[in-house]
Amino acid sequence: MISLIRKVIIMICPFLMSILSVNGFATHQQTSYINNNNMRTININNCISLHAAKDADMTDEEREVAMEKALKAMTSFSNKYAENTGTYYCEDKSIPAVVIKGLAEHKVKLGKPLCPCRFYEDKEAEAKEGYWNCPCVPMRERHECHCMLFLTEDNDFAGKERNISFEEVKDKCGGFSD
């Protein structure tokens, strides 16, 4: 019973902290929660800045800075996730590069890394729902990646690499702009 409660706390705490910080309910600059049996500290200002990135009134320079930051973050996330799940990138590295760029664009526009390979009637509603936010539920539950970003080794398109550099992503997808 305690381990079930711990799992729920581990899943919910970061989500609640982001909601609380955005809505102005957090009163401390840092809040701690338990994650993987370790105490973690969240800087509330970092939570707020992640959500502020979806500001539609960005200048071109601000958008470029936000895109670079998001592209670096999504590249780093993808490399770590591929390693942790034992999945691989596509043999043609332009595929993961374009998907990572799409995740970064959604992170900047929507505040969440919504899967870029699907059609949505309402992207903002889908991003809030969370089902298709990377890693999406099918990926987490069954290692099924619609985007072909994370491939199991039995996939015919899987390469041998679990790492792509920020420079490779930038070069293969044509930089930061749309």
Side-chain angles (χ1 to χ4, degrees), residues 5 11 16 29 39 46 52 56 59 61 74 87 92 98-99 101 108 110 117 140 155:
I5 293 169
M11 289 185 327
L16 287 177
Q29 289 299 312
M39 185 64 82
N46 288 345
T59 66
E61 293 84 23
M74 291 294 94
T87 56
D92 176 358
V98 169
V99 174
K101 180 183 179 189
V108 170
L110 305 169
C117 301
R140 287 180 293 194
N155 187 300

Side-chain angles (χ1 to χ4, degrees), residues 21-93:
S21 65
V22 168
N23 292 322
F25 294 112
T27 57
H28 303 291
Q29 289 299 312
Q30 293 187 343
T31 301
S32 298
Y33 68 97
I34 298 172
N35 184 3
N36 299 332
N37 297 325
N38 296 319
M39 185 64 82
R40 301 288 176 148
T41 301
I42 296 176
N43 183 324
I44 299 302
N45 293 329
N46 288 345
C47 291
I48 293 168
S49 69
L50 288 176
H51 293 282
K54 67 181 216 172
D55 181 11
D57 298 325
M58 287 184 191
T59 66
D60 289 342
E61 293 84 23
E62 290 169 331
R63 183 172 180 354
E64 185 151 343
V65 168
M67 269 302 296
E68 181 175 4
K69 183 177 178 181
L71 195 63
K72 285 179 181 177
M74 291 294 94
T75 301
S76 177
F77 155 76
S78 298
N79 289 335
K80 288 176 187 167
Y81 194 78
E83 184 67 34
N84 290 341
T85 58
T87 56
Y88 297 89
Y89 289 129
C90 185
E91 224 172 2
D92 176 358
K93 283 218 176 156

Side-chain angles (χ1 to χ4, degrees), residues 31 112 169:
T31 301
K112 308 276 180 156
V169 172

Side-chain angles (χ1 to χ4, degrees), residues 78-145:
S78 298
N79 289 335
K80 288 176 187 167
Y81 194 78
E83 184 67 34
N84 290 341
T85 58
T87 56
Y88 297 89
Y89 289 129
C90 185
E91 224 172 2
D92 176 358
K93 283 218 176 156
S94 66
I95 303 293
V98 169
V99 174
I100 291 168
K101 180 183 179 189
L103 291 170
E105 287 173 345
H106 282 161
K107 185 108 172 105
V108 170
K109 290 178 184 174
L110 305 169
K112 308 276 180 156
L114 183 66
C115 171
C117 301
R118 304 187 66 80
F119 172 77
Y120 308 99
E121 291 287 329
D122 183 346
K123 286 184 180 184
E124 286 191 15
E126 289 291 345
K128 285 178 186 172
E129 170 109 4
Y131 187 89
W132 292 112
N133 292 343
C134 190
C136 65
V137 172
M139 181 59 204
R140 287 180 293 194
E141 291 181 354
R142 299 180 301 277
H143 281 199
E144 294 173 2
C145 182

Side-chain angles (χ1 to χ4, degrees), residues 8-18 32-34 42:
V8 170
I9 290 170
I10 289 168
M11 289 185 327
I12 277 187
C13 280
F15 173 73
L16 287 177
M17 288 311 306
S18 66
S32 298
Y33 68 97
I34 298 172
I42 296 176

